[in-house]
Amino acid sequence: MIRIIKVRKCKALLKKITLVFLFLSIYSLGNISFAEDDFYEDEDLEYTYNPNPLEINDPFEKVNRKIFKFNLKMNDYILRPSAKLYRIVTTKGLRQAINNFLNNLSMPIYFINYALQLDFDNSARSIASFTTNTFLGFFGFFDVSSSIGLNPESTNFGYTLAKYGVNSGPYMMIPFLGPMNIRSGFGKIADIALDPLAFDVTRIVSGDGKLLDLETKLVVWSFDYFNIADQVTTMTPMLDNAFDKYVFIRNAYLQNQQHKVNKIRGNIWKN
């Protein structure tokens, strides 16, 4: 009887811990773009040339700057310590394997969005990458697909909306979530609905034929948080050296948004 009570207490404690990690991961959602999507370094420099100056649609700059300062504090007090702990308890190889696994979970989202964008080449690459890494890469922990050229660029529903002429709307800095615009905000909501762990019909099936329970999914989301914290903090030295950190983040976000939208729209320079 005592043993059963102890087991229940341990499960309750695990739930509390994972729920805390889930809360922290909510903060990291907005930094996903900083880590992997909206602040990447593109080698296709000729394609990124824009004959027109970057249009800055930032009517809420005064409020945005205050929120930005708050987010920087959250970065200092939450993300950086989390990344430091993560690097202490994991090896570089393990962190890469976790990053590969989490990237593989994004492939179904890429597949659907590329199909909606009528980009069937990247759509096929996305589902082929997911299938290859899942079955040959031990559920995605090993990135087999990149070695054979199946490595589509990241995309999301915000870019799908852009494909069909939806303009970006004003730039906003959201508490905990970071930079975005109206279009990308709606896109993130839609992508959450497309997440493989979001609904029963798309959850990963465990070996005994049962759907993964809440605790398991929370563990996955917790790893996602630490992975994002690790990626974001590796990029913060650039931010620390910026003369105006707010302008640096805003312009980097808007420039990359514009670049990707232009590619989707066929290099038409309008955002």
Side-chain angles (χ1 to χ4, degrees):
M1 184 66 179
I2 295 176
R3 187 174 183 179
I4 294 175
I5 293 174
K6 288 183 178 180
V7 170
R8 289 178 177 174
K9 287 183 177 180
C10 289
K11 286 185 176 181
L13 179 61
L14 177 61
K15 287 183 179 180
K16 291 179 180 179
I17 293 174
T18 51
L19 284 172
V20 170
F21 287 148
L22 176 60
F23 169 77
L24 295 177
S25 69
I26 292 173
Y27 167 68
S28 69
L29 284 174
N31 292 289
I32 292 176
S33 59
F34 181 88
E36 63 184 38
D37 186 25
D38 295 313
F39 293 86
Y40 73 96
E41 196 167 323
D42 199 314
E43 297 177 356
D44 193 4
L45 296 179
E46 291 184 3
Y47 202 102
T48 63
Y49 171 72
N50 184 351
N52 301 317
L54 179 67
E55 182 180 347
I56 306 296
N57 185 8
D58 188 7
F60 312 117
E61 181 173 349
K62 289 185 178 180
V63 176
N64 283 340
R65 283 184 176 274
K66 293 179 180 180
I67 297 173
F68 178 67
K69 288 182 180 180
F70 170 78
N71 285 349
L72 284 181
K73 293 295 183 182
M74 294 299 100
N75 179 69
D76 292 338
Y77 294 131
I78 298 179
L79 276 185
R80 289 194 183 189
S82 297
K84 185 176 181 180
L85 174 64
Y86 184 56
R87 291 168 189 162
I88 290 174
V89 301
T90 59
T91 63
K92 184 176 181 180
L94 179 57
R95 291 195 297 272
Q96 184 60 55
I98 292 172
N99 183 63
N100 292 339
F101 171 75
L102 294 169
N103 285 340
N104 192 52
L105 290 180
S106 299
M107 289 301 156
I109 299 176
Y110 297 171
F111 165 70
I112 294 173
N113 278 299
Y114 275 126
L116 293 173
Q117 294 167 21
L118 305 182
D119 186 346
F120 299 115
D121 177 64
N122 275 314
S123 182
R125 286 174 177 270
S126 300
I127 197 62
S129 175
F130 178 75
T131 304
T132 301
N133 287 338
T134 299
F135 290 101
L136 300 182
F138 193 66
F139 300 103
F141 285 102
F142 298 97
D143 186 9
V144 179
S145 64
S146 291
S147 62
I148 57 177
L150 297 175
N151 50 346
E153 286 186 13
S154 62
T155 191
N156 56 53
F157 192 71
Y159 295 124
T160 301
L161 293 174
K163 167 73 175 182
Y164 295 99
V166 177
N167 289 328
S168 62
Y171 175 81
M172 299 180 297
M173 182 64 63
I174 308 300
F176 297 104
L177 299 180
M180 66 177 64
N181 52 50
I182 298 294
R183 183 181 61 208
S184 63
F186 280 108
K188 287 182 183 295
I189 294 173
D191 286 335
I192 291 173
L194 297 174
D195 193 302
L197 298 177
F199 294 106
D200 289 348
V201 293
T202 55
R203 286 175 186 164
I204 299 173
V205 178
S206 62
D208 59 1
K210 295 181 180 179
L211 295 172
L212 293 178
D213 56 21
L214 177 61
E215 288 84 355
T216 304
K217 294 198 298 295
L218 288 175
V219 169
V220 174
W221 286 328
S222 300
F223 277 119
D224 192 23
Y225 163 73
F226 282 109
N227 180 62
I228 292 168
D230 181 55
Q231 292 184 52
V232 171
T233 52
T234 59
M235 300 179 71
T236 49
M238 293 187 298
L239 180 62
D240 292 337
N241 295 327
F243 177 74
D244 188 326
K245 296 178 181 178
Y246 175 81
V247 171
F248 175 82
I249 290 293
R250 182 190 64 190
N251 289 0
Y253 176 85
L254 293 177
Q255 285 173 0
N256 195 68
Q257 280 267 316
Q258 180 173 280
H259 164 63
K260 297 196 74 171
V261 168
N262 290 334
K263 291 183 71 174
I264 292 169
R265 290 178 176 176
N267 207 20
I268 299 173
W269 291 106
K270 182 181 179 181
N271 193 36

